[in-house]
Amino acid sequence: MAKKFSTLDYCQYLLSSQINYTITNLAEHIEGYSHDQINRYMRGQKLTPRILWQNVEPSIVIDEAKYMYMLFDDTVLDKRHAKQIEMAQRQYSGNEHGVVQGIGIVTCIYVNFKRHEFWVVDYRIYDPQGDGKSKLDHVSDMLQGLVHNKQLPFQTVLMDSWYATQSLMAEIDKLDKIYYCPLKSNRLVDDSGEVEKYKQIDQLTWSENELLQGKLIKINKFPKDKKVKLFWDTVSPSRTEYVVTNDLTQDYTPEVHAICSIRWNIEEFHRELKQLTGIQSCQCRKSRIQRNHIACAMLVWHHLKRLAFQVGNTIYKLKSGLLSDYLRSQLKCPSIPMLLA
C-alpha cells in the first residue's frame, strides 16, 4: 500500500527548504507525489491553532507567575503580488510602515523571563469578512482561552498601542492581571484630577520626580474612578514611549523600561517565522490551504526554536547548518565534478 502524504511531510519540506516553499517546488523534489495530490491533501485538511498547542504544551517550562508574561501583537504576511488569494486584504503593516495587500495574523507569545525562553501558544488569522472579528476580538478570545482553557499561570500582559483600548484593558483588570502598553502621543488624558481639561499626552508637563516614578492619570472615556500610572520611557536616543499600567504600585521608570523590553520577543518571533519557515511564500488562492500552510509554518518554527535552545545556538545557524551539510557532502562527493583543461 502506497504511503499517503501527511502534515509531517509538508512540515519537513518547510523545515528543509531554504528559498522556495511552494507546492510546485515540493512536488518537483519529493518522490511519489504529484502537485495535484499535495494540493488536494492541503485543501482537505483543517489544521487549527489547536495542533500548535498540542505540540507546544509539553515543552513549556513554567516558573512562578511573576516571571511569566503574555505578549500579544499582530503581523502581516505580504501578498502584494497575489491579488486573488482569499483572506488577503489591504491592511497596515508595521514592517513596511504602510498599507499592503496581505494576510493578518494575531499572535500570542508566552515568556519565561527567568529562563529567557518563550513559546508561541496561540494565534488567530485576521479575516473579518470570514468571521466578522476584529483583532481586538481575537486577542480577547485568546486571553480567555489562556486563563480558562490552557490555564497557564502568568501575571503580566504586554501589548502594542493598537490594543490599548478601554474594553481590553478592563478585561485584563477583571482577570486580575497587570498590563503594560504604550499609548500614542495624541491620546487624551488628565493628570490634574479633573481640574483641567483633557490634553494630549505629548502636551503633559513632567516634574523630575514624575520622570522617575511616573504619574497618575485618567484616560479619556475610561470609567470616572479608573486611574492608571503613566511613564515616559526613553527607548533610545531618538525614540520615547508613553507607557501605561494598571499596577499603581509601580514607581520606577527603569523597571518599566525593563518590563516593556520583553515585548521584543514577539518581534523576534515574527522575524524568524517569516525568514525561516516560508510562511509568506504560499501562492495558493484557497483560504483553507493558506490556513494549513500557516499552521505548518508555526509548527516548524516551534520545532526549530526548541532545538536551537537545547543546543545553545540560534535558530538561523540551525537552519543554515543544512546548507553546510550539503556543502560538505558535495566537496566530498560532488554531483557535478569540476574539470580543468
Side-chain angles (χ1 to χ4, degrees), residues 74-76 91-92 104-106 126 133-142 162-163 168:
D74 59 90
T75 189
V76 177
Q91 53 193 300
Y92 181 81
I105 305 179
V106 185
Y126 177 54
K133 291 188 176 183
S134 68
K135 292 179 181 179
L136 290 171
D137 293 330
H138 287 310
V139 170
S140 177
D141 289 346
M142 288 190 286
W162 178 263
Y163 301 100
L168 187 55

Side-chain angles (χ1 to χ4, degrees), residues 47-235:
L47 305 181
T48 68
R50 180 183 295 274
I51 191 174
L52 175 66
W53 172 243
Q54 290 170 346
N55 282 268
V56 172
E57 184 181 14
S59 69
I60 294 177
V61 180
I62 295 174
D63 214 302
E64 296 177 63
K66 65 180 180 179
Y67 297 117
M68 309 305 294
Y69 292 78
M70 283 296 176
L71 281 57
F72 293 99
D73 203 356
D74 59 90
T75 189
V76 177
L77 307 184
D78 195 335
K79 303 290 183 181
R80 70 181 72 188
H81 301 299
K83 306 297 183 183
Q84 297 183 10
I85 289 180
E86 296 175 358
M87 296 195 303
Q89 58 183 306
R90 290 185 61 76
Q91 53 193 300
Y92 181 81
S93 168
N95 187 52
E96 296 294 329
H97 302 288
V99 176
V100 299
Q101 181 81 359
I103 296 175
I105 305 179
V106 185
T107 56
C108 176
I109 301 298
Y110 190 45
V111 178
N112 185 324
F113 180 71
K114 196 172 183 179
R115 286 174 56 90
H116 302 289
E117 190 174 7
F118 63 92
W119 302 262
V120 53
V121 293
D122 208 348
Y123 71 92
R124 295 291 186 273
I125 296 176
Y126 177 54
D127 181 24
Q129 294 182 344
D131 57 24
K133 291 188 176 183
S134 68
K135 292 179 181 179
L136 290 171
D137 293 330
H138 287 310
V139 170
S140 177
D141 289 346
M142 288 190 286
L143 186 60
Q144 293 296 328
L146 293 166
V147 173
H148 301 298
N149 298 327
K150 296 180 175 66
Q151 298 184 340
L152 289 170
F154 65 97
Q155 178 175 289
T156 306
V157 177
L158 305 179
M159 49 194 180
D160 199 5
S161 59
W162 178 263
Y163 301 100
T165 64
Q166 191 276 329
S167 59
L168 187 55
M169 293 160 83
E171 185 174 351
I172 297 172
D173 272 327
K174 289 181 180 178
L175 293 172
D176 198 27
K177 306 296 183 183
I178 295 170
Y179 57 75
Y180 286 85
C181 57
L183 296 183
K184 293 182 179 180
S185 60
N186 62 354
R187 197 74 175 264
L188 295 177
V189 300
D190 172 32
D191 65 343
S192 68
E194 299 184 0
V195 175
E196 301 176 3
K197 293 182 179 180
Y198 285 99
K199 62 180 68 174
Q200 292 185 177
I201 290 180
D202 58 4
Q203 296 177 355
L204 295 176
T205 57
W206 295 75
S207 67
E208 186 174 338
N209 186 60
E210 288 172 335
L211 287 173
L212 180 63
Q213 299 183 352
K215 64 165 66 189
L216 201 63
I217 65 164
K218 179 184 177 301
I219 304 175
N220 189 32
K221 297 184 179 179
F222 274 47
K224 185 176 182 179
D225 59 346
K226 179 59 183 176
K227 299 293 180 64
V228 292
K229 205 74 175 288
L230 179 69
F231 294 84
W232 188 352
D233 179 27
T234 302
V235 180

Side-chain angles (χ1 to χ4, degrees), residues 5-17:
F5 188 81
S6 68
T7 299
L8 181 60
D9 292 322
Y10 194 79
C11 288
Q12 186 63 59
Y13 166 60
L14 296 184
L15 189 154
S16 302
S17 185

Side-chain angles (χ1 to χ4, degrees), residues 5 7-23 25-26 42 47 273 275-282 289-301 304 319 322:
F5 188 81
T7 299
L8 181 60
D9 292 322
Y10 194 79
C11 288
Q12 186 63 59
Y13 166 60
L14 296 184
L15 189 154
S16 302
S17 185
Q18 298 286 335
I19 300 176
N20 193 329
Y21 297 91
T22 64
I23 290 179
N25 185 56
L26 171 56
M42 293 297 290
L47 305 181
L273 185 68
Q275 293 179 354
L276 300 176
T277 71
I279 193 170
Q280 296 188 111
S281 301
C282 181
I289 299 179
Q290 288 287 343
R291 287 179 178 272
N292 291 337
H293 174 84
I294 290 168
C296 289
M298 293 279 186
L299 290 168
V300 168
W301 178 87
L304 283 172
K319 183 152 185 177
L322 298 174

